[in-house]
């Protein structure tokens, strides 16, 4: 498949790609605090991406995965619409600074997020299957919204004295 690379060079420029049909990897780079929105007709395979603002990503019929690190300064919303589609963001050099919302459909729609050495804030999320979260930061893993999990929940900090606070 073909790859897509979208870059803004205007200060705080926005990427808004709501009707994609990309079979390859998607790379996003915004300038300043620009936001990025992508909706793909299949899955989403993120290549190295840097978004200075918020990220909203939806895979219509497939998984959301990464093949290189993502660096997102604002909030992130990752959503799969197919009942068996997973979210697997597990490059250990990820950096999601704002709250991350993970949403899957169906009991086999699982979500895995490893935020590398950055603290992880899970926003309001609904995962139909299992949810696995990892952070290598002493500030650990917290939530800022209701997190609903249909399957099993696994939460790990791999930093000394790392904190897990989900309430």
């Amino acid at each position: 498949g073909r790859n897509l690379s979208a870059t803004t060079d205007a200060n705080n420029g926005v990427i808004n790609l709501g009707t994609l049909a990309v079979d390859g990897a998607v790379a996003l780079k915004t300038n300043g605090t620009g936001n990025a929105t992508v909706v793909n007709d299949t899955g989403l395979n993120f290549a190295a991406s840097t978004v200075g603002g918020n990220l909203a990503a939806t895979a219509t019929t497939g998984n959301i995965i990464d093949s290189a690190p993502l660096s997102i300064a604002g909030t992130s919303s990752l959503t799969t619409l197919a009942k068996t589609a997973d979210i697997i963001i597990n490059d250990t050099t990820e950096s999601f600074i704002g709250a991350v919302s993970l949403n899957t459909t169906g009991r086999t729609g699982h979500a895995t997020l490893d935020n590398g050495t950055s603290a992880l804030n899970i926003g309001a999320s609904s995962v139909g299957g299992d949810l696995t979260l990892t952070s290598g930061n002493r500030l650990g893993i917290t939530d800022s919204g209701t997190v609903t999990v249909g399957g099993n929940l696994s939460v790990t900090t791999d930093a000394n004295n790392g904190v897990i606070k989900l309430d």
Side-chain angles (χ1 to χ4, degrees):
R2 299 282 185 180
N3 298 326
L4 170 73
S5 178
T7 302
T8 63
D9 54 7
N11 195 27
N12 305 323
V14 173
I15 296 171
N16 188 354
L17 302 170
T19 55
L20 291 176
V22 177
D23 293 329
V26 174
L28 306 171
K29 182 168 176 35
T30 63
N31 188 333
T33 59
N35 299 325
T37 300
V38 292
V39 178
N40 200 25
D41 68 341
T42 60
L44 272 170
N45 175 5
F46 280 107
S49 296
T50 302
V51 176
N54 302 326
L55 170 66
T58 302
T60 306
T61 62
N63 301 322
I64 296 177
I65 63 172
D66 61 345
S67 55
L70 305 176
S71 178
I72 314 299
T75 62
S76 298
S77 173
L78 306 176
T79 303
T80 58
L81 299 180
K83 289 189 179 197
T84 59
D86 298 326
I87 299 170
I88 304 169
I89 303 296
N90 60 0
D91 186 297
T92 58
T93 57
E94 307 292 2
S95 181
F96 289 88
I97 303 304
V100 181
S101 297
L102 304 168
N103 298 287
T104 66
T105 305
R107 299 232 10 116
T108 59
H110 307 298
T112 299
L113 177 60
D114 185 334
N115 206 31
T117 59
S118 297
L120 180 56
N121 177 0
I122 297 298
S125 298
S126 178
V127 176
D130 299 337
L131 175 59
T132 304
L133 304 172
T134 305
S135 169
N137 187 287
R138 69 175 183 77
L139 298 177
I141 300 170
T142 59
D143 64 346
S144 58
T146 300
V147 178
T148 304
V149 180
N152 298 310
L153 173 64
S154 173
V155 183
T156 305
T157 63
D158 43 12
N160 287 336
N161 302 314
V163 174
I164 297 173
K165 184 177 180 186
L166 302 175
D167 53 1

